[in-house]
């Protein structure tokens, strides 16, 4: 049963989590050097109104035109972060793949819920479909963004799944692959961050409206194994145990678990923080291979 104590505890964890992330990301972002071989289109508004949302697009220097792109979704346990966190990684991905990378912001919880976030990512994809002619998408995300990369792909491919997730907008174009970097695949309904998935319910007794697979992607993977999936993990990542379990539900995944190498510790979302590391370069190459049909 949900009560004020459970919500108070989750809120306390949320605040501690955000502070820890700021302590890690602030110096990282201040010291980042972005690759010169990348052209950018920054802060394009894809949703207007009282709470506008924006996206960036990164193009390789040799880019001419394409009907496909990556959709990059940042992590942060759904409660923290912005597209800025993944900018450096996204630019490296654009250069390595030769494809545009669309880096998307979304409304963070608790000001949103999981259904709203998925709907917003759909809106961003429909926006670039109309404005730029991108018709084939490869979703990629880290941590919570890894969950979203997989869930968005499944919602795009199945009207039954999208309606079960309370996402009713129709996606233009198609999702061809999903790449998950150190993803969170299992969430507690009554703990952080899963507690925020269903929005702020004021009733004393919580009523679950989302399917069980919203909280456990293993259950969703059992439903559709036709999606091409790349999964990246790291030796020092606290989520690696659940990632290993999840990959067993995926048919023929591209799976890479990077090992520590001296001072380079393969921590949570290491390719995002250090896209220039050899292990991160390999991860990017595998994500590109998965997107391009494993040629």
């Amino acid at each position: 049963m949900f009560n004020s104590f459970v919500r108070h505890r989750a809120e306390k964890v949320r605040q501690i989590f955000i502070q820890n992330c700021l302590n890690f990301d602030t110096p990282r972002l201040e010291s980042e050097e972005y690759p010169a071989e990348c052209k950018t289109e920054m802060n394009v508004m894809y949703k207007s109104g009282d709470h506008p949302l924006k996206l960036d697009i990164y193009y390789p220097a040799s880019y001419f035109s394409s009907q496909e792109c990556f959709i990059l979704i940042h992590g942060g346990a759904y409660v923290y972060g912005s597209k800025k966190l993944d900018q450096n990684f996204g630019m490296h991905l654009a250069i390595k793949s030769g494809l545009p990378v669309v880096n998307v912001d979304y409304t963070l919880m608790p000001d949103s819920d999981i259904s709203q976030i998925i709907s917003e990512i759909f809106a961003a994809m429909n926006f670039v479909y109309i404005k730029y002619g991108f018709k084939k998408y490869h979703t990629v995300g880290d941590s919570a963004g890894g969950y979203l990369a997989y869930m968005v792909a499944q919602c795009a491919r199945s009207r039954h799944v999208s309606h079960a997730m309370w996402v009713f907008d129709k996606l233009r174009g198609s999702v061809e692959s999903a790449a998950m970097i150190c993803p969170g695949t299992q969430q507690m309904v009554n703990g952080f961050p899963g507690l925020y998935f269903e929005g702020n319910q004021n009733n004393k007794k919580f009523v679950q409206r989302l399917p069980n697979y919203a909280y456990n992607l293993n259950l969703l993977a059992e439903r559709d194994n036709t999606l091409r999936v790349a999964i990246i993990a790291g030796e020092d990542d606290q989520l690696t145990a659940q990632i290993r379990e999840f990959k067993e539900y995926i048919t023929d995944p591209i799976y890479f678990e990077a090992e520590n190498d001296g001072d380079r510790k393969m921590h949570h979302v290491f390719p995002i923080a250090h896209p220039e590391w050899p292990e991160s370069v390999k991860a990017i190459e595998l994500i590109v291979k998965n997107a391009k049909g494993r040629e």
Side-chain angles (χ1 to χ4, degrees):
M1 177 181 292
F2 281 25
N3 53 41
S4 59
F5 173 75
V6 173
R7 293 193 176 278
H8 174 77
R9 182 177 60 188
E11 180 61 19
K12 185 175 181 180
V13 173
R14 184 179 75 91
Q15 293 174 3
I16 293 172
F17 173 82
I18 291 173
Q19 188 57 56
N20 289 339
C21 289
L22 287 170
N23 292 341
F24 176 80
D25 285 325
T26 299
R28 171 176 78 86
L29 294 175
E30 289 176 348
S31 64
E32 278 189 337
E33 296 182 6
Y34 301 115
E37 315 93 294
C38 203
K39 300 180 292 185
T40 63
E41 193 169 349
M42 307 293 286
N43 293 318
V44 179
M45 185 179 299
Y46 75 85
K47 180 182 177 184
S48 59
D50 294 337
H51 303 285
L53 291 169
K54 299 179 181 180
L55 55 80
D56 298 341
I57 307 180
Y58 314 131
Y59 303 94
S62 60
Y63 175 77
F64 177 69
S65 67
S66 176
Q67 290 190 337
E68 61 183 314
C69 67
F70 284 96
I71 301 294
L72 179 56
I73 309 168
H74 72 82
Y78 319 94
V79 303
Y80 160 82
S82 70
K83 56 186 172 61
K84 181 69 174 177
L85 297 177
D86 288 16
Q87 179 178 341
N88 198 16
F89 169 84
M91 295 173 76
H92 279 81
L93 177 60
I95 293 168
K96 182 67 70 174
S97 67
L99 294 176
V101 174
V102 179
N103 188 5
V104 179
D105 265 339
Y106 53 87
T107 304
L108 301 175
M109 299 177 186
D111 294 328
S112 67
D113 56 30
I114 196 66
S115 304
Q116 178 180 336
I117 291 174
I118 297 169
S119 296
E120 289 174 349
I121 296 170
F122 268 31
M125 296 160 78
N126 284 336
F127 174 85
V128 297
Y129 178 99
I130 294 171
K131 184 174 176 63
Y132 300 95
F134 300 145
K135 298 180 180 180
K136 293 183 179 180
Y137 311 110
H138 307 285
T139 57
V140 55
D142 59 289
S143 193
Y147 169 102
L148 289 167
Y150 186 75
M151 182 61 79
V152 165
Q154 294 290 14
C155 285
R157 294 162 67 86
S158 169
R159 184 60 60 89
H160 179 81
V161 172
S162 64
H163 285 186
M165 293 296 295
W166 293 71
V167 176
F168 300 104
D169 296 332
K170 184 176 181 180
L171 179 68
R172 303 188 182 195
S174 61
V175 176
E176 303 294 315
S177 73
M180 309 166 72
I181 300 170
C182 305
T185 60
Q186 299 178 38
Q187 319 291 341
M188 294 187 297
V189 177
N190 61 347
F192 175 84
L195 178 67
Y196 299 109
F197 270 33
E198 310 256 357
N200 291 319
Q201 296 193 22
N202 295 321
N203 52 311
K204 293 183 179 180
K205 185 175 182 179
F206 170 74
V207 178
Q208 182 177 331
R209 64 171 185 164
L210 294 175
N212 289 335
Y213 58 68
Y215 299 94
N216 186 343
L217 292 184
N218 298 345
L219 304 177
L220 181 57
E222 291 179 328
R223 300 173 60 93
D224 178 6
N225 257 310
T226 62
L227 177 68
R228 298 197 306 271
V229 180
I231 306 170
I232 309 300
E235 183 178 347
D236 253 25
D237 186 358
Q238 68 272 19
L239 297 182
T240 295
Q242 66 174 255
I243 294 169
R244 290 173 182 164
E245 180 181 345
F246 172 73
K247 81 176 178 65
E248 297 303 318
Y249 290 85
I250 303 295
T251 299
D252 192 29
I254 288 181
Y255 181 73
F256 174 51
E257 186 174 317
E259 298 179 353
N260 295 337
D261 186 359
D263 291 335
R264 294 199 306 274
K265 303 298 182 183
M266 300 304 116
H267 56 75
H268 189 53
V269 301
F270 67 91
I272 303 299
H274 306 284
E276 74 286 350
W277 281 3
E279 297 83 359
S280 302
V281 171
K282 181 176 180 180
I284 293 172
E285 290 173 345
L286 292 174
I287 289 169
V288 173
K289 180 180 179 180
N290 185 63
K292 294 193 172 183
R294 309 189 182 190
E295 300 167 352

